[in-house]
Amino acid sequence: MTHVDERAEKAGETGQGSTPERQLWTAGNGRSRRRTVTYADAGVSIHAGEQAVELLRTKVHRTHRPEVMGDIGGFAGLFKLDLKKYKSPILASSTDGVGTKLAIAQAMGIHDTVGIDLVAMVVDDLVACGAEPLFLLDYIACGEVVPDRVAEIGAGIADGCRYAGCALLGGETAEHPGVMRPDEYDISGTGVGVVEEDAILGRDRVEVGDVVIALRSSGLHSNGYSLVRHVLLGAGRMRLDSVIDEFGKQRTLGEELLTPTRIYAKDCLDLIKESEVHAFAHVTGGGIPGNLVRVLPEHLDAVVDRATWRPQPIFELVRTKGRIEDSEMESTFNMGIGMLTVVSAEDADRTLAFLAGRGVDAWQVGEVIEGTGTVQMVGSHTRG
């Protein structure tokens, strides 16, 4: 791939005051003309983009559901919604990105996990209202389309879609030379799901006496990485290839930071069939208090007891290295909980047993009481 900003400047470096030598070509009429400029000269390769799509084709096909129509290459993705399955279907949509976790992936040259993070951020927002994720559309912007790298990113997105049970219906890869560095990229995704109108979950269903159950996160997930990078890699001067004893199994800091976000979609959808679920809260930016409050009526509070769990070592490392106040940690990070579900007290044991049977680490973390629509964080985490 050529980049006109670099090649052209070097070609014109003939000395101060000299006239740059120009390439000429002869048209059919014999007149001399300047060589034409191509899209590749501006730093964009159509061929590289097409090659990346071909590398992804098999992975994308594996995400297809029966409702998907057509194949890769159309102007729009087609999805035939089976209206016979629903009495009053409501479409739900969500869009998100991965944030500065991408800087870690780019620094390490590992690109096949951030796509899972992207899918998780989108589909678990959909599930929070009880919607089944149907399909996802992705967008990849990069300074230079390197087919293998784009294919790695896309493969992660496809894997995430399979884990969530939704189709990767389409997407766009854009090359932005001169705006982004050749090794730089950003990704985003938009998902669409469906839920019966009378099955929408949320604050209207939450009642006094309900139990709050926590589903453990896989780590930091995809939030707070600007702060993480600042305190660990900046002020803390830690290296991504440093082995951290607390992480175990000779695990490096970079490996820990790139741990993919856990996708809860299928577990949550199946739980709805098993227990009386009133609400889900996907714990992302804003932490536990900032997200659990979104499913509370104005007259109820949720009491969350920190003593019921111990956050993973990465949270303690960030806290101590950055000398970060507990309140700031809780408003930025998930602190070891990726999803919260509010269920009836009668179904608490059933819920915990069901999740345990699926290999999900879950526990009762709190309860719903009379209040003013706030989250009360009580108790202290075990440390050391």
Side-chain angles (χ1 to χ4, degrees):
M1 185 168 302
T2 58
H3 296 273
V4 70
D5 57 344
E6 184 173 334
R7 295 206 325 171
E9 286 173 8
K10 291 183 178 179
E13 291 173 355
T14 56
Q16 186 174 0
S18 61
T19 302
E21 182 180 351
R22 300 183 184 278
Q23 280 187 304
L24 301 180
W25 70 291
T26 303
N29 59 10
R31 297 172 60 188
S32 293
R33 295 186 180 181
R34 298 175 185 174
R35 183 180 65 86
T36 59
V37 177
T38 66
Y39 209 1
D41 288 323
V44 178
S45 171
I46 300 297
H47 173 70
E50 293 172 345
Q51 186 179 351
V53 171
E54 285 304 313
L55 290 173
L56 276 172
R57 187 176 293 275
T58 300
K59 277 275 190 179
V60 173
H61 282 165
R62 289 175 183 167
T63 73
H64 282 183
R65 296 164 49 117
E67 303 97 326
V68 174
M69 301 175 65
D71 200 357
I72 298 174
F75 287 100
L78 302 176
F79 190 96
K80 185 176 182 179
L81 185 63
D82 184 1
L83 297 177
K84 295 179 181 179
K85 289 176 59 177
Y86 310 96
K87 297 177 182 178
S88 182
I90 301 296
L91 294 180
S93 64
S94 176
T95 189
D96 213 331
V98 177
T100 59
K101 186 173 186 176
L102 296 177
I104 306 296
Q106 291 161 21
M108 296 185 66
I110 298 175
H111 314 291
D112 60 351
T113 61
V114 290
I116 299 173
D117 294 299
L118 176 64
V119 176
M121 297 298 285
V122 173
V123 300
D124 286 338
D125 274 357
L126 294 175
V127 166
C129 70
E132 175 190 0
L134 297 176
F135 59 83
L136 183 135
L137 304 170
D138 65 55
Y139 177 77
I140 305 172
C142 51
E144 178 180 346
V145 172
V146 178
D148 288 342
R149 183 170 61 208
V150 172
E152 287 181 41
I153 299 169
I157 297 173
D159 285 342
C161 286
R162 286 193 299 105
Y163 302 155
C166 68
L168 180 53
L169 195 58
E172 172 74 0
T173 300
E175 196 165 29
H176 295 166
V179 177
M180 305 175 77
R181 298 188 309 271
D183 62 340
E184 186 179 3
Y185 60 83
D186 195 8
I187 60 177
S188 64
T190 297
V192 173
V194 63
V195 58
E196 287 282 9
E197 186 172 9
D198 62 3
I200 296 175
L201 303 180
R203 58 167 54 96
D204 293 342
R205 294 173 177 257
V206 177
E207 302 173 346
V208 172
D210 281 351
V211 169
V212 182
I213 291 176
L215 283 65
R216 187 173 294 278
S217 69
S218 57
L220 289 168
H221 282 187
S222 299
N223 293 103
Y225 273 76
S226 293
L227 180 56
V228 169
R229 289 166 51 241
H230 174 70
V231 300
L232 298 186
L233 306 181
R237 298 183 179 180
M238 298 183 69
R239 293 169 52 93
L240 291 173
D241 59 0
S242 298
V243 174
I244 309 299
D245 292 339
E246 292 84 349
F247 297 161
K249 297 182 180 179
Q250 295 294 303
R251 189 170 174 83
T252 67
L253 175 62
E255 290 170 338
E256 176 65 29
L257 295 181
L258 281 188
T259 301
T261 304
R262 174 147 193 168
I263 295 176
Y264 302 96
K266 286 185 176 181
D267 296 320
C268 290
L269 290 173
D270 287 343
L271 178 61
I272 292 172
K273 302 172 186 176
E274 187 72 18
S275 300
E276 186 182 332
V277 177
H278 292 165
F280 288 116
H282 186 199
V283 184
T284 55
I288 295 168
N291 287 282
L292 184 54
V293 73
R294 297 163 70 177
V295 299
L296 291 178
E298 293 182 356
H299 65 287
L300 298 180
D301 282 3
V303 180
V304 174
D305 186 0
R306 300 184 188 94
T308 60
W309 87 99
R310 180 179 178 180
Q312 294 92 327
I314 183 62
F315 297 102
E316 182 66 8
L317 179 65
V318 172
R319 186 188 70 83
T320 55
K321 282 286 185 180
R323 299 177 182 176
I324 302 172
E325 297 288 340
D326 289 345
S327 59
E328 182 68 16
M329 290 291 295
E330 287 183 341
S331 66
T332 305
F333 303 107
N334 66 59
M335 299 305 294
I337 296 175
M339 183 73 78
L340 292 160
T341 180
V342 181
V343 304
S344 65
E346 294 79 8
D347 273 11
D349 290 341
R350 178 195 296 270
T351 297
L352 291 171
F354 175 81
L355 292 172
R358 295 178 68 98
V360 179
D361 186 3
W363 65 96
Q364 181 173 333
V365 75
E367 61 180 342
V368 176
I369 63 173
E370 293 283 355
T372 58
T374 62
V375 176
Q376 302 179 27
M377 303 293 293
V378 301
S380 299
H381 296 300
T382 302
R383 288 174 177 157

